[in-house]
């Protein structure tokens, strides 16, 4: 049994890593997130259940940190430095190292 488990673990370690999807260009503005090459937007007020997966697709990677705010909201951060803020389950603000809009923690 141990040898079978060791063989499975060894094979799993040799498997190639899943490719990271390419990021989709976007910009942040006073109303939320604008896709650079498409008319779609992620506006303030959108639910966290739809905003977080959409932003993950744009960035091409999953969030690196999620933190509860003292005000009862939530902050979600991606590897590119973008932070989105949610209150009552809705997208309410964003911040980067150089700019911000909407609500924050």
């Amino acid at each position: 049994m141990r040898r079978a488990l060791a063989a499975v673990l060894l094979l799993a370690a040799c498997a190639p890593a899943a490719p990271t999807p390419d990021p989709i260009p976007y910009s942040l503005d006073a109303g939320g997130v604008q896709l650079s090459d498409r008319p779609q937007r992620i506006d303030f007020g959108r639910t966290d259940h739809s905003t977080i997966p959409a932003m993950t697709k744009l960035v091409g990677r999953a969030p690196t940190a999620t933190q509860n705010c003292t005000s009862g909201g939530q902050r979600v951060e991606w590897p590119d430095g973008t932070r989105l803020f949610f209150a009552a389950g809705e997208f309410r603000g964003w911040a980067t190292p150089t700019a911000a809009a909407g609500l924050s923690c």
Side-chain angles (χ1 to χ4, degrees), residues 18-90:
T20 302
D22 290 331
I24 298 169
Y26 68 92
S27 61
L28 301 165
D29 60 32
V33 182
Q34 173 66 55
L35 279 68
S36 298
D37 59 350
R38 302 173 193 171
Q40 288 93 355
R41 293 185 50 82
I42 304 170
D43 288 320
F44 292 150
R46 188 169 167 174
T47 68
D48 57 350
H49 297 293
S50 64
T51 302
I52 294 170
M55 194 67 194
T56 297
K57 186 173 181 178
L58 293 179
V59 174
R61 296 184 54 200
T64 54
T66 301
Q67 194 172 48
N68 291 329
C69 301
T70 56
S71 62
Q74 184 179 49
R75 181 181 87 185
V76 181
E77 186 169 343
W78 278 266
D80 69 350
T82 302
R83 296 180 308 270
L84 300 186
F85 302 101
F86 299 89
E90 293 184 351

